[in-house]
Each structure stands twice: as structure tokens, then as C-alpha cells.
Amino acid sequence: MVILSTVLIPAGIAAGLYLIRKQREYSWGWVHKQHDLRGKIFIVTGANTGLGFETTRGLVKRGATVILACRNLRKANEAIEKIKAEFKSGEMIAMELDLANFDSIRKFVKEIKEKVPKFDCLINNAGLAVQDEQLTADGIELHTGTNHIGPFMLTNLLMDDIKRNNARVVIVSSKMHERATVDFETFGKYSPKPAGERSNHLYNNSKLMNFYFAKELYKRGIDVHVCCPGLCNTDFFRDYDPKFYHYVLFSPVILFMLRSAEQGSQNILFCALENVNTDDQNPDKSYIIYDCKQHKSKIDLSDDVSEKLWIESAKLCGIIKEIH
Ligand SMILES: NC(=O)c1ccc[n+]([C@@H]2O[C@H](COP(=O)([O-])OP(=O)(O)OC[C@H]3O[C@@H](n4cnc5c(N)ncnc54)[C@H](OP(=O)(O)O)[C@@H]3O)[C@@H](O)[C@H]2O)c1
Ligand SMILES: *[C@@H]1O[C@H](CO)[C@@H](O)[C@H](O)[C@H]1NC(C)=O
């Protein structure tokens, strides 16, 4: 009896939990295909850590050349060293890009046009969430500025190259876009949390903007793919400083929902590498990739909003004369 209660029952529970976890991992999907990416060039923003790092790893493993577009070159070079120690294939180049700074975006675009005018895929991965009111170098609310305006400006300034090369654009959004709004009254400005709200509306809203942005790119004939990587164990929560009791409280979420960065990055790799027939399955252009499968977004993307967002975003970053 003692053995039953002290050994067998806990062991049974552990085995059961392990099996459920494995089943969950299986359902999250994986890009198993090897894909020979020798000679292909990918630009990955925020490639030094988290999902961007794992995406870079997955590409380099398959022989690709990856430009690591990072705001900190030291961190980018450390990431390169780590991946180099693991794989002999591929090539990596670090380039400086701060998406929360217009000058930096322009400098990066100039450098790309000079050094790598022919690339195959731009992966807009970098993004963040913070707790308090913060602004970009140009005075834009930080979530909108980094998660939407930065990638919007970058992609548009590279538009000629993207079109000429028929390059694919990947946008890392989030399912958080499902409960969000684009409020043009406060667009680009900080707005406090609605009363009683605990989650980060500014982050949610920026991820909805990603979606509208993708829709407009899609309408312009760009080969664009949007994904949600799922809840992943990365540096993303660095501003949230979790306490011990949070881990206890959220242990079921961690056990059944939290993916490794490598697992989550499969969704980004899927968008970058697989042939997703978006037209056939999504005539209304509101698909999202998650669990390495195509899903229809739960929200309806209005053309009025996506068109207005396109114009207002171009105005906000001062590229209205440069876009088509
Ligand atoms: N983790 C999740 O659960 C989750 C879920 C859904 C969607 N996502 C999305 O996945 C993407 C990647 O997030 P992650 O989880 O990998 O987070 P992460 O580990 O914090 O990595 C974010 C990356 O973005 C970079 N970055 C932040 N601000 C930047 C700026 N102004 N200019 C250039 N790069 C900047 C960071 O650079 P530094 O290292 O220098 O700060 C870092 O390389 C984000 O778009 C996020 O919204 C994540
Ligand atoms: C943000 O999105 C999540 C997931 O859809 C949702 O649970 C949360 O309530 C949203 N926050 C706000 C302020 O809308």
C-alpha cells in the first residue's frame, strides 16, 4: 500500500502529464521538410534572441544566408557565434536595425540596397510588450511604433526590391489581434488601459495592425504570410518580472500551452518556406498560420480600416510620397 501511494500513483500522474504534454507538442506542428536553402537570402528582424533566433537557426541549418537585423550588433554577433558552433551550413551577416527609430530604418534600407539588393524573404519578427508609457525615438507610442510602424516603414522602403525579386514577406502577429481595435483618434499615441483591464490593449492593438497591414500588402500582390507562433518561452516577458507565485498559478498554462522558442518558430518557418495556397483557401485574405496550419482569422478585416491605416501609417512615418 505504501508503495502504491508513494511511488505508483505519483509515477502514474507524471506519466499521464508527460503524455498529455507530448500530445500537445504534436498538435503544435513542425516543419519536417529539409528544404535546400543554399543561395537563398532571408532578412530576419529581431534575430538575436527568442523566435527570431530560432527562425535563423532553422534557416541556416538548411543552408540559407540570413541577415540578422538587430538593434544591438553585439547581441547579433553572439547569436551568430552560437549558431556557427552548431552548423557548418549557411551564412550569417549582422546588420544594425532599430525599428523604433526612423533614421535607423533608413540607414538599414540603404545598406541593404547597397549590399543585398536581391533577397528572397523578409521576416518581420521583432516586437515587444512593455508595462508603462514609453515612446520611440520619434515620439510614437512604443508598441505601435515598434510592432507596426517600424515594420510598415521598413517593408515599404524595400518595396521595389521585394517586387523585383518576388520576395515573400512574413509578418509575426499574434492571436491577441482577435480582441483589439484600431482607434484612429489615439493612433500613435499612448492611451491608458480601460478601467478594470489587466491585459495590454496597446500590444493587442499593434498586433491587429500587423493583420491589416498584411491585408493591404496582399491586395497589392505581395506574397505575404501572417502567423501566430503561440505562447512561447522567450525573452518576450522581460518587462513583466514574474514572481514565484505566478509560476505556481500558471503551471497548468506552462505545462499545456507554453511552447519552446524552437517549437513556436516552426510557424514562422512554415510561413517562410511552405507553399501556402492563400488564394484558394482564403479569398477574403484574412488567414493566419498557427500550429503550422492555415486558419481563418476570427475577426472580419474591414477594407475601410486597412486602407485608412495604410495612409495614416505612411503619414506617421513620413513616407507618404515614397509609397505606392
Ligand atoms: N513569445 C510569445 O509568446 C509570442 C506570442 C505571440 C507573438 N509573439 C511575437 O513574436 C515576435 C518575437 O517575439 P519573441 O517572443 O521572440 O520575443 P523576444 O525574445 O523578446 O525577442 C524580440 C526580438 O525583437 C527585438 N526588438 C525589440 N525591439 C526592437 C527594435 N526597436 N528594433 C529592432 N529589434 C527589436 C529584440 O531585440 P533585443 O534583444 O535587442 O531587445 C529581440 O531580438 C514578436 O513580434 C511578438 O509579438 C510572441
Ligand atoms: C488582448 O487579447 C487577449 C487574447 O485575445 C484577450 O484575452 C484580452 O482581453 C485582450 N485585451 C484587451 C485589452 O482587449
Side-chain angles (χ1 to χ4, degrees):
M1 279 315 275
V2 176
I3 288 182
L4 184 68
S5 60
T6 58
V7 180
L8 290 181
I9 293 176
I13 293 173
L17 290 176
Y18 175 81
L19 285 176
I20 297 175
R21 170 75 199 185
K22 283 292 152 198
Q23 196 283 326
R24 295 289 298 149
E25 286 179 6
Y26 179 75
S27 74
W28 290 330
W30 198 274
V31 178
H32 291 288
K33 210 160 138 190
Q34 256 314 308
H35 296 278
D36 184 0
L37 302 179
R38 280 173 298 179
K40 299 246 182 265
I41 303 178
F42 295 75
I43 301 173
V44 181
T45 69
N48 57 284
T49 186
L51 295 164
F53 174 79
E54 289 298 338
T55 301
T56 303
R57 243 184 105 234
L59 295 170
V60 167
K61 185 174 133 192
R62 293 171 169 90
T65 297
V66 181
I67 315 283
L68 291 89
C70 301
R71 59 176 163 176
N72 182 322
L73 279 182
R74 181 186 51 80
K75 286 191 196 172
N77 282 312
E78 281 169 9
I80 291 179
E81 289 313 314
K82 261 197 227 162
I83 298 176
K84 265 197 186 155
E86 212 183 338
F87 306 114
K88 289 205 168 51
S89 53
E91 208 182 310
M92 286 167 283
I93 303 154
M95 281 194 196
E96 195 174 327
L97 169 67
D98 180 355
L99 287 160
N101 183 328
F102 295 161
D103 285 344
S104 171
I105 297 174
R106 285 202 181 274
K107 239 181 97 204
F108 176 79
V109 167
K110 190 164 173 273
E111 202 178 348
I112 288 285
K113 284 182 187 287
E114 282 165 10
K115 294 186 186 153
V116 255
K118 194 187 162 346
F119 56 86
D120 298 279
C121 183
L122 166 63
I123 302 181
N124 285 306
N125 159 77
L128 49 66
V130 294
Q131 301 222 60
D132 50 350
E133 177 173 359
Q134 289 186 46
L135 304 177
T136 67
D138 309 281
I140 299 166
E141 188 283 314
L142 196 64
H143 298 89
T144 312
T146 312
N147 301 353
H148 167 64
I149 293 292
F152 174 89
M153 182 175 178
L154 173 68
T155 309
N156 269 299
L157 293 182
L158 289 173
M159 193 59 84
D160 290 342
D161 309 87
I162 290 169
K163 284 192 173 157
R164 182 169 15 85
N165 301 322
N166 231 335
R168 182 171 285 193
V169 176
V170 175
I171 299 182
V172 182
S173 178
S174 163
K175 285 194 83 178
M176 296 291 183
H177 81 278
E178 287 172 358
R179 267 204 62 205
T181 47
V182 179
D183 177 2
F184 289 108
E185 294 290 306
T186 56
F187 180 58
K189 299 190 190 83
Y190 176 77
S191 64
K193 271 187 187 154
E197 183 58 66
R198 294 191 61 191
S199 63
N200 186 338
H201 65 300
L202 294 168
Y203 175 73
N204 283 24
N205 296 350
S206 72
K207 291 287 139 179
L208 177 61
M209 291 172 199
N210 288 166
F211 236 86
Y212 277 117
F213 174 43
K215 178 167 187 172
E216 283 301 303
L217 287 174
Y218 200 58
K219 280 162 70 179
R220 285 163 171 79
I222 305 299
D223 178 20
V224 57
H225 295 267
V226 195
C227 70
C228 172
L231 182 66
C232 302
N233 186 15
T234 65
D235 289 339
F236 187 76
F237 304 96
R238 58 181 110 177
D239 202 45
Y240 285 77
D241 188 25
K243 305 276 183 302
F244 175 70
Y245 68 88
H246 285 129
Y247 288 105
V248 178
L249 217 58
F250 289 110
S251 57
V253 175
I254 293 173
L255 193 58
F256 300 124
M257 307 270 289
L258 191 68
R259 307 172 191 210
S260 67
E262 187 181 16
Q263 177 99 50
S265 74
Q266 300 303 310
N267 287 290
I268 306 176
L269 291 167
F270 187 89
C271 284
L273 304 180
E274 297 292 323
N275 272 324
V276 187
N277 191 349
T278 53
D279 268 327
D280 265 12
Q281 292 164 48
N282 277 286
D284 60 349
K285 305 163 180 70
S286 61
Y287 77 94
I288 181 163
I289 301 294
Y290 65 83
D291 295 347
C292 295
K293 283 194 218 69
Q294 198 176 39
H295 298 261
K296 193 172 160 21
S297 165
K298 290 210 175 82
I299 57 145
D300 282 323
L301 296 171
S302 124
D303 278 303
D304 291 349
V305 177
S306 67
E307 281 159 23
K308 185 160 180 194
L309 182 64
W310 183 274
I311 300 292
E312 293 305 317
S313 304
K315 283 188 196 156
L316 200 55
C317 57
I319 60 166
I320 196 86
K321 290 210 180 73
E322 289 162 85
I323 61 165
H324 314 291

